[in-house]
Amino acid sequence: MATTNFPSAPPKRRRIGVLTSGGDAPGMNGAVRAVVRMAIHSDCEAYAVFEGYEGLVNGGDMIRQLHWEDVRGWLSRGGTLIGSARCMSFRQRPGRLRAAKNMILRGIDALVVCGGDGSLTGADVFRSEWPGLLEELVKTGELTEEQVKPYTVLNIVGLVGSIDNDMSGTDATIGCYSSLTRICDAVDDVFDTAFSHQRGFVIEVMGRHCGWLALMSAISTGADWLFIPEMPPRDGWEDDMCGIITKNRQERGKRRTIVIVAEGAQDRHLNKITSSRVKDILTERLGLDTRTTVLGHTQRGGPACAYDRWLSTLQGVEAVRAVLEMTPESPSPVITIRENKIMRTPLMDAVKATQEVTSHIKNKDFATAMTLRDSEFKEYHYAYLNTATPDHPKLNLPEEKRMRIAIINVGAPAGGMNQASRAAVAYCLTRGHTPIAIHNGFPGLIRHHADKPVSSVREVRWVETDAWVNEGGSDIGTNRGLPSEDIDTTAKCFKTYKFDALFVVGGFEAFTAVSQLRQAREKYDAFKIPMVVLPATISNNVPGTEYSLGSDTCLNALIDFCDCIRQSASSSRRRVFVIETQGGKSGYIATTAGLSVGAVAVYIPEEGIDIKMLARDIDFLRDNFARDKGANRAGKIIMRNETASSTYTTQVIADMIKEEAKGRFESRAAVPGHFQQGGKPSPMDRIRALRMAIKCLMHLESYAGKSKEEIAADEMSATVIGVKGSQVLFSAMGGESGLEANETDWARRRPKAEFWLQLQDTVNILSGRSGSKATWSCYEDDDRIQAPSPHP
Ligand code: ADP
């Protein structure tokens, strides 16, 4: 029987559905928000399907239009506000038949699905069956030919939402870094007690088929031993584990012992390795006072971290673009990320590769399972093994290849500096190099040589670096001073201490310092050694990279700050906060933070601020508060970089808004200042510090045995490591195509081309600030303003 209570004519605007399915994950709400707003911006309508495929099968009130303001504040909410469920009936064709009918009745022919590989497989099956489902619906009289005619093709786009990070083809899934943050917070909390009592802790983390969370938490917390499903330990692992832990404790003086066990950990015969078994082994064999902590569902909860907020936002935007660009022939895409680049991959290729890993593990073919994991995962695993304990006789280099490697931190402190130094020390010891810390940057080195009572240059022992694993700032001390302050003495020091290589962790000053040393090579032989900069600065303004250590920690600090401040508005009324961010002459932090908190506007030095802009934005705010009744209780945020304008300071802007609002809303200025350097580094900064530091050290050691002249002639002997698009690359500082001459805006202390500038458009689109066809104009023929409750 044909259903008549819906019009058969297609709707005026294209309708895009969005659903979250499978296990929930922090960041899913950010994805739904971005899909809804981007769809509206693109002149489409957005429909949420509540409770995953259950809503699609049941229809009725479970599929509802979402409007611009319905998703306000969703970025900071954990879980999924449109609900998720496992749905048995969608696994069967009759269930999908009902789902198809429900979609057609609402005029929806595109679906963005955020879930794991199961959910995405379901979506793809649905798409492939779509023509047959429509045919059947017409044949059985459920729908008329006329009703189905406009919807012959179903567009499916996948977003991967999963805390496990178990999908092949993407570096990260929406939710995995938030979950890692929960784990690291919990382990950081037991650190002190483990240290005080010299205890052992066995921590069990989620991951039935994928060891990503376990591996990354092991790296982030300096675990002594790790169990992951895809790389079971060799037989006799009990002895191996006890041997290493004993060595770490007795010979090296480590006071705390951490073992991380993935939920799906197993031995090579597929026997489960449980956390309680590991605890018993440590207790019985080593007499170690050991406690077990099974983290369970705390790993799923809580608000999304900064990375998940901007990832879900950018991927949601990309999903809508993909829907609009798809042709009937194009395979369903899944939106992925490689390093720093949002990409599209055929959905079923990614699902197939993911499922292959699981089946290889089941067949005990662990080597193949590991090769099918993403290259990033393998690199992290290699980096962890090389640094968890410096005890790898096979990795020791012959005497003539061993180097004296100096480690120095330059510039303002940034999260990840300690972790990079720690990784460098461990890697040096593993390979037989001598790690030498220079304390307090170049001024520390120069002072030391002047024979003051300081000891700024010294070899570092592994156990000293143990505590650095989760500490913020720079333990060896960092300083903005440059070698040019006394280049002569700097050269003398390099010679005296026989540095064979230099590893510099820091921001724009670190870049400048290496540039000075490189240019002074003509005069000083001592600088004819390989040098590499690992960028670490919250400003993220180092040429040669799109990502600097510390920037993620800073973003997390900023979103915490903004969440708190915004919450305070819910008990007052109609408030706009103008928040001043650091970042020097680079608007990166302001923009990315703006994207992650859903700022109304972001003011950056690259664009400046003028009176017209302010007038427009005040009008926009006035309009916003007037139309959107729900906004009364939601604080709005404007981000302003500290150098965006010398006239329109943060306070001046706040005062102007207040004045112009004429009592309809008010405004406050807030300056988080050094709070932005963060407390403990974020897990992302910790793990990237390790991986990048080891790449740097590998690069440095490739120069072992080369003559000074050979080194000086090689442009890659003074480099910056960086993320560029989807790759991690070294870029030469000097030479015709080098960073110094081509990519550096020396006056403004930032790269000439800033990759993130285009994100400004996304911030504007999602806040509705762009003015054009976004937001309010779409309500002109629609008198509803009442927001629906999140759940039916
Ligand atoms: P995840 O998406 O996290 O992998 P599941 O595997 O439980 O979680 O899948 C979630 C939902 O997706 C299932 O409850 C089901 O409704 C749907 N689904 C999963 N696999 C299929 C499939 N092969 N065919 C149709 N629907 C599926």
Side-chain angles (χ1 to χ4, degrees):
M1 189 186 71
T3 312
T4 51
N5 54 339
F6 287 93
S8 56
K12 268 195 290 179
R13 295 190 177 91
R14 182 146 190 211
R15 295 179 171 176
I16 300 176
V18 56
L19 67 83
T20 52
S21 170
D24 65 328
M28 281 182 161
N29 290 322
V32 174
R33 170 185 178 269
V35 169
V36 168
R37 292 199 168 176
M38 186 61 186
I40 295 170
H41 173 78
S42 310
D43 219 5
C44 300
E45 290 176 1
Y47 278 74
V49 180
F50 288 79
E51 317 303 343
Y53 291 120
E54 199 79 37
L56 214 53
V57 173
N58 293 340
D61 200 26
M62 294 175 88
I63 306 175
R64 282 183 284 150
Q65 188 174 4
L66 286 190
H67 294 266
W68 190 269
E69 79 279 17
D70 294 337
V71 291
R72 182 193 328 105
W74 282 29
L75 264 172
S76 57
R77 306 280 299 273
T80 164
L81 289 163
I82 59 171
S84 183
R86 310 239 189 245
C87 172
M88 287 317 290
S89 52
F90 194 74
R91 287 182 182 271
Q92 317 299 331
R93 192 179 153 96
R96 295 193 289 273
L97 196 67
R98 287 174 61 193
K101 181 177 170 185
N102 283 325
M103 284 184 62
I104 293 205
L105 288 178
R106 279 160 190 78
I108 303 169
D109 64 351
L111 206 51
V112 178
V113 176
C114 182
D117 60 335
S119 306
L120 300 188
T121 306
D124 200 68
V125 169
F126 192 38
R127 185 190 188 204
S128 60
E129 283 179 357
W130 185 257
L133 295 173
L134 298 201
E135 209 173 287
E136 192 175 330
L137 287 168
V138 172
K139 212 183 271 170
T140 54
E142 296 267 339
L143 294 175
T144 63
E145 287 268 9
E146 221 183 20
Q147 277 177 305
V148 302
K149 211 156 117 202
Y151 308 106
T152 49
V153 180
L154 171 66
N155 284 352
I156 293 286
V157 176
L159 291 172
V160 199
S162 154
I163 61 162
D164 295 339
N165 201 7
D166 52 358
M167 178 70 88
S168 297
T170 187
D171 287 348
T173 53
I174 294 171
C176 70
Y177 275 100
S178 300
S179 184
L180 182 61
T181 306
R182 299 286 107 71
I183 297 171
C184 290
D185 286 350
V187 182
D188 286 350
D189 288 346
V190 301
F191 256 39
D192 297 336
T193 175
F195 184 89
S196 312
H197 294 270
Q198 301 199 39
R199 263 185 198 143
F201 272 89
V202 181
I203 317 268
E204 184 179 310
V205 304
M206 282 183 170
R208 269 174 297 161
H209 306 292
C210 179
W212 189 89
L213 278 175
L215 172 60
M216 301 309 161
S217 48
I219 290 173
S220 311
T221 60
D224 297 69
W225 197 266
L226 162 76
F227 294 97
I228 53 173
E230 51 278 81
M231 190 50 91
R234 64 181 183 196
D235 290 347
W237 57 266
E238 296 89 341
D239 295 336
D240 289 342
M241 177 179 71
C242 289
I244 290 289
I245 289 174
T246 305
K247 250 191 189 169
N248 284 351
R249 292 179 76 88
Q250 289 177 3
E251 285 178 24
R252 304 194 180 105
K254 198 171 172 182
R255 285 177 66 94
R256 62 178 166 225
T257 299
I258 308 276
V259 176
I260 304 278
V261 184
E263 197 184 357
Q266 54 194 353
D267 66 16
R268 293 203 172 177
H269 313 285
L270 306 187
N271 301 310
K272 203 165 164 42
I273 297 178
T274 62
S275 45
S276 61
R277 183 162 162 228
V278 176
K279 172 194 175 266
D280 290 344
I281 293 169
L282 297 182
T283 311
E284 285 157 22
R285 292 203 190 182
L286 302 181
L288 185 63
D289 177 10
T290 310
R291 308 293 156 102
T292 310
T293 303
V294 180
L295 291 177
H297 276 74
T298 58
Q299 293 164 83
R300 268 192 199 288
C305 67
Y307 181 84
D308 279 331
R309 293 191 194 192
W310 67 253
L311 180 74
S312 61
T313 301
L314 294 183
Q315 290 195 333
V317 167
E318 181 67 6
V320 173
R321 287 200 183 114
V323 164
L324 300 178
E325 285 165 22
M326 271 176 86
T327 64
E329 292 74 39
S330 45
S332 301
V334 61
I335 312 299
T336 58
I337 183 161
R338 288 265 164 82
E339 300 299 348
N340 215 26
K341 196 172 161 88
I342 307 284
M343 300 168 83
R344 297 177 199 174
T345 308
L347 187 153
M348 284 320 286
D349 289 0
V351 168
K352 195 163 153 266
T354 307
Q355 290 168 348
E356 271 177 29
V357 175
T358 312
S359 77
H360 283 299
I361 293 174
K362 275 193 190 136
N363 296 332
K364 302 186 198 173
D365 185 358
F366 305 110
T368 312
M370 202 63 183
T371 58
L372 290 172
R373 281 267 179 252
D374 296 315
S375 56
E376 202 202 22
F377 185 88
K378 285 178 275 188
E379 271 182 33
Y380 276 118
H381 191 248
Y382 174 81
Y384 170 73
L385 293 182
N386 276 292
T387 52
T389 179
D391 191 29
H392 301 272
K394 278 193 219 149
L395 292 176
N396 263 322
L397 289 167
E399 204 64 51
E400 69 279 6
K401 295 251 174 198
R402 297 183 183 183
M403 303 168 101
R404 289 171 60 78
I405 301 184
I407 301 164
I408 190 167
N409 293 173
V410 180
M417 275 184 160
N418 275 331
Q419 292 67 30
S421 306
R422 176 181 181 272
V425 170
Y427 185 80
C428 281
L429 296 172
T430 294
R431 303 287 277 168
H433 303 303
T434 306
I436 304 161
I438 300 173
H439 287 253
N440 304 318
F442 285 98
L445 181 72
I446 295 162
R447 269 203 307 273
H448 175 61
H449 198 74
D451 215 9
K452 297 246 173 75
V454 282
S455 173
S456 296
V457 182
R458 58 183 193 87
E459 291 181 21
V460 193
R461 289 178 311 128
W462 179 76
V463 71
E464 285 176 60
T465 67
D466 184 45
W468 301 354
V469 73
N470 67 350
E471 281 178 7
S474 160
D475 220 78
I476 62 172
T478 182
N479 194 298
R480 287 181 190 274
L482 294 170
S484 54
E485 285 177 17
D486 189 348
I487 195 95
D488 237 16
T489 308
T490 307
K492 268 186 212 139
C493 292
F494 272 49
K495 202 168 162 203
T496 308
Y497 299 109
K498 299 192 176 73
F499 296 156
D500 297 316
L502 180 68
F503 176 51
V504 188
V505 186
F508 200 86
E509 284 90 358
F511 178 80
T512 312
V514 170
S515 166
Q516 290 179 352
L517 296 176
R518 188 194 70 76
Q519 288 174 36
R521 275 173 172 172
E522 276 183 20
K523 199 164 161 209
Y524 303 100
D525 262 5
F527 300 143
K528 291 176 179 167
I529 59 172
M531 301 183 263
V532 55
V533 179
L534 170 50
T537 160
I538 66 168
S539 305
N540 199 19
N541 60 341
V542 180
T545 191
E546 295 173 8
Y547 164 83
S548 301
L549 296 177
S551 54
D552 184 63
T553 302
C554 169
L555 276 180
N556 279 295
L558 268 174
I559 64 166
D560 285 350
F561 184 86
C562 293
D563 282 356
C564 290
I565 248 181
R566 206 177 346 218
Q567 186 176 304
S568 78
S570 65
S571 37
S572 54
R573 291 182 71 219
R574 297 185 175 193
R575 190 166 278 178
V576 181
F577 295 95
V578 185
I579 295 177
E580 181 176 304
T581 72
Q582 292 184 335
K585 295 241 178 272
S586 165
Y588 170 83
I589 279 295
T591 302
T592 323
L595 197 68
S596 306
V597 300
V600 172
V602 177
Y603 298 147
I604 55 173
E606 287 81 352
E607 213 173 53
I609 307 175
D610 60 42
I611 191 75
K612 279 193 197 133
M613 186 189 274
L614 287 173
R616 246 191 349 256
D617 286 341
I618 293 170
D619 277 349
F620 173 62
L621 284 167
R622 200 180 288 125
D623 194 37
N624 213 304
F625 277 117
R627 285 175 178 260
D628 181 358
K629 306 282 186 268
N632 285 358
R633 300 185 74 80
K636 297 195 179 294
I637 287 177
I638 290 178
M639 291 283 178
R640 178 191 171 277
N641 162 288
E642 59 188 353
T643 67
S645 160
S646 51
T647 310
Y648 300 110
T649 63
T650 307
Q651 191 60 52
V652 165
I653 294 174
D655 291 344
M656 285 173 74
I657 293 175
K658 200 170 180 175
E659 177 73 25
E660 293 298 319
K662 308 214 183 315
R664 285 151 85 180
F665 50 95
E666 52 171 65
S667 163
R668 293 273 194 280
V671 184
H674 283 80
F675 177 81
Q676 290 164 81
Q677 279 173 7
K680 290 192 185 302
S682 71
M684 166 165 278
D685 280 333
R686 298 189 204 182
I687 63 172
R688 285 197 166 168
L690 175 85
R691 177 169 160 243
M692 301 257 191
I694 289 191
K695 275 179 176 283
C696 291
L697 271 280
M698 289 168 78
H699 182 72
L700 291 175
E701 71 185 1
S702 70
Y703 286 88
K706 292 201 174 163
S707 72
K708 288 209 170 286
E709 296 321 315
E710 275 176 299
I711 293 170
D714 180 353
E715 270 153 17
M716 292 305 284
S717 69
T719 56
V720 176
I721 190 170
V723 174
K724 283 189 165 178
S726 62
Q727 291 174 298
V728 176
L729 298 170
F730 287 96
S731 308
M733 299 202 58
E736 267 175 34
S737 56
L739 296 172
E740 290 168 22
N742 300 289
E743 295 186 27
T744 309
D745 182 341
W746 290 97
R748 296 185 181 84
R749 294 163 50 86
R750 65 186 188 213
K752 275 186 187 156
E754 295 181 295
F755 77 98
W756 52 267
L757 274 175
Q758 61 199 6
L759 295 182
Q760 281 284 98
D761 291 343
T762 312
V763 174
N764 291 339
I765 287 173
L766 295 180
S767 72
R769 184 191 181 216
S770 52
S772 60
K773 60 188 166 186
T775 68
W776 310 109
S777 59
C778 60
Y779 299 126
E780 241 104 77
D781 57 352
D782 178 359
D783 57 5
R784 62 153 306 290
I785 281 289
Q786 200 65 34
S789 63
H791 285 272

